């Protein structure tokens, strides 16, 4: 069955079959060839049970909030503010790319939206000041990945839904690793620019008056983050309720920024419907595939196989990490999650690892898949904003940041408290 699943995934995805359809076809194939029971008879009930979840309402709400913030021009002003504060550092604008991406991640919940927004704002400025195009583009692509680790994160919601894990605990677990990874990205850029100053472009020092005035540009993002995450952490709202509050606040901020009109609102709603439809179709397909895998006994077969190999818990973890890295070269991030979660998560939990901690580790390697060719989505998002220039610049520029991600993974394995301290202490 494992061979059927592996070959089926590769063949169908390489044939260009949509991810959700691929997952349904695999589930039907398992039902036809490996199950003693007619699993398709439970299809309607399974899909209804998966769709009838209050938690899933948070996904279109967070998507809508990100769409509004993108179109409200708030990220552009936040970027200018971070430029004022960080321009004195070697590679000043590169640090502004990363910190603005981290701030924007805390409101959009989407890596693609973060990378697209920062690319539009930052690339013209980087070209004007003669920054090294590889490192500059790499910092944007890598900074965009923070959108699925720093809460609120749509991918963490999907992980929590598929594994029945507390979303507030996952959000809290992702906060410190997300901020730590941001600092590692900045440290990577700083070391490279100190080693070779030409990579970082010219340095400038903004006046304190300009810096203080620019703080007003950061206020909208900080307000939105505080309202959403604070209401969840304090227990005043569920993730779904906090998402609804976030939509209202984002609309108020867009109106205050004089960007809220019928055209902008319709564009935001149109983008929300397209993104949400894709996400929910994949989630429903993954739910039925999960049901088929469990009912047909694949997890039990894998447990028996691993027991025969006598792998230690950390050897198993290393094998799973290697699997994520390899699959990340070829499979889109959400697809990577929904395909692997039903198989690997029960094995990891049975080996004694914490399910919340593993969610953060998984998201870290899903982030890496966003910036590794040939299907790293953030690479194409950044390249789309610099047409006519070598795609290799973007790929090479992400390599130092991939090394920083691997270092972050090592830190999480050695010190799991990085992810677990905050959820365990609140």
């Amino acid at each position: 069955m494992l061979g059927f699943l592996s070959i089926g995934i590769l063949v169908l995805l390489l044939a260009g079959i949509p991810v959700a359809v691929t997952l349904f076809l695999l589930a039907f194939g398992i039902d036809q060839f490996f199950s003693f029971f007619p699993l398709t008879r439970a299809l309607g009930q399974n899909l209804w049970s998966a769709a009838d979840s209050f938690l899933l309402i948070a996904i279109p709400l967070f998507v809508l909030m990100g769409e509004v913030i993108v179109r409200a021009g708030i990220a552009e002003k936040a970027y200018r503010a971070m430029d004022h504060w960080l321009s004195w550092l070697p590679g000043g604008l590169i640090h502004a790319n990363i910190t603005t991406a981290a701030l924007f991640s805390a409101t959009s919940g989407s890596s693609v939206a973060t990378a697209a927004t920062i690319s539009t704002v930052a690339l013209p400025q980087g070209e004007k000041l003669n920054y090294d195009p590889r490192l500059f583009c790499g910092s944007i692509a890598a900074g965009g990945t923070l959108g699925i680790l720093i809460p609120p994160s749509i991918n963490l919601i999907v992980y929590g839904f598929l594994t029945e894990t507390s979303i507030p605990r996952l959000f809290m677990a992702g906060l410190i690793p997300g901020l730590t990874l941001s600092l590692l990205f900045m440290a990577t850029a700083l070391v490279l620019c100190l080693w070779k100053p030409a990579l970082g472009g010219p340095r400038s020092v903004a006046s304190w008056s300009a810096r203080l005035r620019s703080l007003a540009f950061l206020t909208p993002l900080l307000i939105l983050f505080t309202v959403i995450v604070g209401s969840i952490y304090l227990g005043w709202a569920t993730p779904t309720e906090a998402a609804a509050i976030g939509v209202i606040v984002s609309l108020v901020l867009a109106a205050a920024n004089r960007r809220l009109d019928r055209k902008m609102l319709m564009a935001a709603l149109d983008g929300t419907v397209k993104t949400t439809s894709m996400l929910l179709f994949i989630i429903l397909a993954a739910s039925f595939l999960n049901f088929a895998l469990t009912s047909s006994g694949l997890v039990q077969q894998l447990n028996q196989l691993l027991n025969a190999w006598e792998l230690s818990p950390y050897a198993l973890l290393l094998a799973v990490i290697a699997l994520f890295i390899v699959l990340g070269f070829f499979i889109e991030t959400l697809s990577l999650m929904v395909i692997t979660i039903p198989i690997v998560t029960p094995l990891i939990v049975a080996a004694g690892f914490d399910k919340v901690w593993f969610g953060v580790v998984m998201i870290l390697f899903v982030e890496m898949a966003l910036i590794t060719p040939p299907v790293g989505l953030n690479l194409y998002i950044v390249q789309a904003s610099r047409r006519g220039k070598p795609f290799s610049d973007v790929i090479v520029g992400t390599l130092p940041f991939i090394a920083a991600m691997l270092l972050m993974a090592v830190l999480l394995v050695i010190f799991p408290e990085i992810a677990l301290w905050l959820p365990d202490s609140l």
Side-chain angles (χ1 to χ4, degrees):
M1 188 194 311
L2 187 59
F4 168 83
L5 191 64
S6 303
I7 295 173
I9 290 172
L10 290 176
V11 170
L12 292 173
L13 290 180
L14 290 175
I17 305 297
V19 174
V21 177
T22 294
L23 299 180
F24 273 122
L25 290 176
L26 290 173
F28 295 151
I30 290 172
D31 172 49
Q32 185 70 31
F33 298 112
F34 300 101
S35 176
F36 295 105
F37 307 99
L39 300 179
T40 52
R41 293 187 180 181
L43 177 62
Q45 179 62 38
N46 180 270
L47 296 184
W48 175 260
S49 299
D52 187 25
S53 172
F54 181 67
L55 176 63
L56 289 182
I57 301 175
I59 292 178
L61 291 174
F62 277 129
V63 172
L64 177 58
M65 183 182 67
E67 291 280 345
V68 172
I69 289 298
V70 166
R71 289 170 169 78
I74 293 173
E76 181 178 354
K77 294 182 178 180
Y79 184 80
R80 291 207 300 268
M82 298 313 303
D83 180 24
H84 285 323
W85 281 94
L86 300 172
S87 57
W88 61 276
L89 286 170
L93 278 185
I94 296 174
H95 302 296
N97 294 343
I98 296 167
T99 52
T100 307
L103 286 170
F104 193 72
S105 298
T107 58
S108 73
S110 167
S111 288
V112 173
T114 302
T117 303
I118 304 303
S119 295
T120 303
V121 174
L123 282 174
Q125 191 73 0
E127 292 174 4
K128 178 182 177 182
L129 296 177
N130 294 318
Y131 274 76
D132 179 74
R134 291 172 294 183
L135 186 61
F136 197 82
C137 293
S139 69
I140 298 173
T145 66
L146 298 169
I148 60 174
L149 185 57
I150 297 176
S153 163
I154 293 173
N155 291 62
L156 281 175
I157 293 175
V158 172
Y159 175 85
F161 174 77
L162 293 177
T163 61
E164 299 181 354
T165 306
S166 166
I167 302 300
R169 282 181 59 82
L170 285 170
F171 278 5
M172 287 186 280
L175 182 58
I176 294 178
L179 296 177
T180 304
L181 185 58
S182 303
L183 294 175
L184 286 177
F185 283 167
M186 293 180 67
T188 299
L190 182 62
V191 169
L192 289 173
C193 292
L194 286 173
W195 170 62
K196 194 173 181 181
L199 296 174
R203 297 165 62 180
S204 61
V205 179
S207 66
W208 278 102
S209 60
R211 292 180 182 179
L212 294 175
R213 286 196 303 270
S214 70
L215 289 178
F217 298 152
L218 301 177
T219 303
L221 294 177
L222 294 176
I223 289 175
L224 201 53
F225 176 78
T226 302
V227 168
I228 296 170
V229 180
S231 62
I232 294 174
Y233 289 177
L234 293 173
W236 294 350
T238 66
T240 302
E241 293 165 345
I245 295 170
V247 170
I248 295 172
V249 174
S250 68
L251 291 172
V252 172
L253 293 173
N257 210 37
R258 298 182 179 179
R259 293 290 186 92
L260 183 62
D261 54 30
R262 184 180 180 278
K263 182 179 179 181
M264 188 274 272
L265 190 57
M266 293 303 295
L269 290 171
D270 182 63
T272 300
V273 170
K274 291 178 180 178
T275 302
T276 303
S277 299
M278 176 194 69
L279 290 173
L280 292 183
F281 194 22
I282 292 175
I283 290 172
L284 293 179
S287 175
F288 185 62
L289 177 60
N290 193 357
F291 169 73
L293 293 174
T294 304
S295 301
S296 58
L298 177 64
V299 176
Q300 291 85 344
Q301 291 180 23
L302 286 174
N303 275 321
Q304 293 171 2
L305 180 62
L306 292 173
N307 289 334
W309 287 351
E310 297 182 349
L311 290 177
S312 68
Y314 284 98
L316 172 63
L317 178 64
L318 185 61
V320 169
I321 288 174
L323 176 68
F324 282 136
I325 293 174
V326 172
L327 292 180
F329 291 136
F330 308 104
I331 302 178
E332 184 270 331
T333 52
L334 185 62
S335 310
L336 175 61
M337 287 183 62
V338 299
I339 289 170
T340 56
I341 282 174
I343 300 172
V344 303
T345 304
L347 302 178
I348 290 293
V349 173
F353 293 103
D354 186 273
K355 189 159 55 173
V356 172
W357 170 85
F358 180 66
V360 174
V361 173
M362 170 180 277
I363 291 297
L364 179 63
F365 286 98
V366 169
E367 283 186 315
M368 190 181 297
L370 282 166
I371 55 174
T372 51
V375 296
L377 192 55
N378 278 18
L379 301 177
Y380 296 97
I381 294 295
V382 175
Q383 180 63 17
S385 299
R386 54 191 306 272
R387 295 171 183 170
K389 298 178 181 177
F391 185 40
S392 59
D393 286 350
V394 187
I395 296 174
V396 173
T398 60
L399 296 180
F401 301 102
I402 291 175
M405 286 181 168
L406 292 173
L407 176 58
M408 185 71 233
V410 172
L411 292 175
L412 280 171
V413 172
I414 298 175
F415 306 106
E417 297 81 9
I418 295 174
L420 295 177
W421 175 77
L422 191 57
D424 287 345
S425 61
L426 294 177

